């Protein structure tokens, strides 16, 4: 089946630094990818929709300058958390729409900002 | 506003004790309803897509059903390895391909 590879799975960074998370579709082309944030025991909160070759569409309340999204190819989207702070610590997940069977998700990235 | 509500929030079962998880939705028009399984520290894993009322799908010990207002995920004779959080999501007609997720049901199956 379709696979979305997300890296890194875990990252710890110092406050004020930037962290890049990659999401790759391995065996299909994804013109659209989605980035979610998930807090403990909470649902997936959509942050932005990443469109290949164009600007991402951010959900209300998500800071565009803090969460930079780049979708430079049909198989790669990246999320960069800039000037990270402890409140940015969370579980970030990407997904891509793959055919009629819905969305394929990456394995997630646990970000801890210290 | 489109809403997806899952119940119960948490469920503890003994191995072999069958039960059902509920996903009720309020949307302008349903394009599809998805069920996912999520293990701790992992991304959601696709289980089923349902498109119309009356539709049913099965996979091993899981069976998903759909009505005009809700979906059930029936778990028959669960095993400890079925322990996970089960997420429901809906996609509405006339909109973009962005699903709305419920908060999930955390299932623990005791041996």
């Amino acid at each position: 089946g379709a696979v979305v590879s997300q890296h890194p799975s875990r990252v710890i960074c110092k406050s004020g630094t930037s962290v890049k998370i990659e999401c790759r579709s391995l065996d299909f082309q994804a013109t659209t990818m989605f980035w979610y944030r998930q807090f403990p025991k909470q649902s997936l909160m959509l942050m932005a929709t990443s469109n290949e070759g164009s600007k991402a569409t951010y959900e209300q309340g998500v800071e565009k300058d803090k969460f930079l999204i780049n979708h430079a190819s049909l198989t790669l989207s990246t999320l960069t958390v800039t000037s990270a702070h402890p409140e940015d610590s969370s579980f970030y997940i990407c997904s891509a729409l793959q055919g009629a069977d819905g969305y394929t998700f990456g394995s997630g990235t646990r970000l801890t900002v210290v | 506003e489109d809403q997806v509500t899952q119940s119960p929030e948490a469920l503890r079962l003994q191995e072999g004790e069958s039960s059902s998880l509920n996903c009720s939705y309020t949307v302008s028009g349903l394009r599809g309803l998805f069920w996912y399984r999520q293990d701790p520290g992992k991304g959601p894993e696709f289980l089923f897509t349902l498109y119309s009322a009356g539709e049913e799908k099965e996979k091993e010990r899981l069976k998903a059903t759909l009505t005009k207002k809700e979906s059930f995920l029936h778990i028959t004779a669960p095993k400890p390895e079925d322990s996970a959080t089960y997420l429901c999501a809906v996609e509405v007609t006339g909109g973009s391909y962005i699903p709305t997720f419920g908060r999930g049901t955390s299932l623990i199956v005791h041996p």
Side-chain angles (χ1 to χ4, degrees):
Chain A
V3 176
V4 171
S5 177
Q6 185 173 344
H7 294 281
S9 58
R10 291 177 180 271
V11 59
I12 301 173
C13 71
K14 291 185 178 180
S15 187
T17 63
S18 296
V19 173
K20 180 184 284 188
I21 302 170
E22 289 191 351
C23 183
R24 293 180 183 271
S25 58
L26 294 188
D27 49 3
F28 66 101
Q29 294 182 334
T31 56
T32 303
M33 289 188 178
F34 306 93
W35 287 96
Y36 293 87
R37 184 173 179 174
Q38 188 177 35
F39 294 100
K41 298 186 179 180
Q42 296 293 317
S43 183
L44 279 72
M45 300 297 296
L46 180 66
M47 298 175 64
T49 302
S50 169
N51 302 295
E52 187 269 334
S54 64
K55 292 183 178 180
T57 304
Y58 290 82
E59 295 300 299
Q60 190 174 9
V62 177
E63 297 178 60
K64 300 178 182 181
D65 295 333
K66 167 167 274 298
F67 299 101
L68 300 179
I69 290 173
N70 183 277
H71 196 155
S73 77
L74 288 171
T75 58
L76 175 64
S77 176
T78 61
L79 168 67
T80 301
V81 183
T82 63
S83 186
H85 288 90
E87 57 265 31
D88 298 324
S89 299
S90 191
F91 192 58
Y92 294 88
I93 312 173
C94 66
S95 77
L97 180 62
Q98 195 276 320
D101 280 342
Y103 304 81
T104 300
F105 285 84
S107 55
T109 298
R110 171 70 62 192
L111 170 63
T112 303
V113 185
V114 298
Chain B
E1 183 181 342
D2 301 325
Q3 288 192 336
V4 179
T5 304
Q6 290 189 247
S7 61
E9 184 176 319
L11 181 62
R12 292 178 179 270
L13 299 173
Q14 288 297 127
E15 184 172 3
E17 180 186 1
S18 301
S19 188
S20 296
L21 313 183
N22 177 264
C23 172
S24 61
Y25 59 91
T26 305
V27 297
S28 52
L30 181 70
R31 175 184 284 159
L33 185 142
F34 306 91
W35 281 100
Y36 291 87
R37 168 189 171 131
Q38 186 176 23
D39 292 299
K42 302 290 185 182
E45 175 188 342
F46 172 77
L47 292 174
F48 304 108
T49 307
L50 301 167
Y51 292 103
S52 57
E55 189 175 359
E56 299 183 352
K57 288 191 176 177
E58 288 188 67
K59 179 181 180 180
E60 296 181 352
R61 294 178 292 282
L62 301 176
K63 179 181 178 180
T65 62
L66 180 66
T67 72
K68 290 185 178 180
K69 295 183 179 180
E70 58 193 348
S71 176
F72 290 95
L73 183 66
H74 306 278
I75 303 178
T76 303
K79 298 181 178 181
E81 52 262 42
D82 294 323
S83 298
T85 295
Y86 291 84
L87 296 168
C88 168
V90 299
E91 197 176 74
V92 299
T93 57
S96 57
Y97 287 90
I98 300 176
T100 300
F101 280 86
R103 291 193 171 192
T105 293
S106 174
L107 173 65
I108 297 176
V109 182
H110 296 285

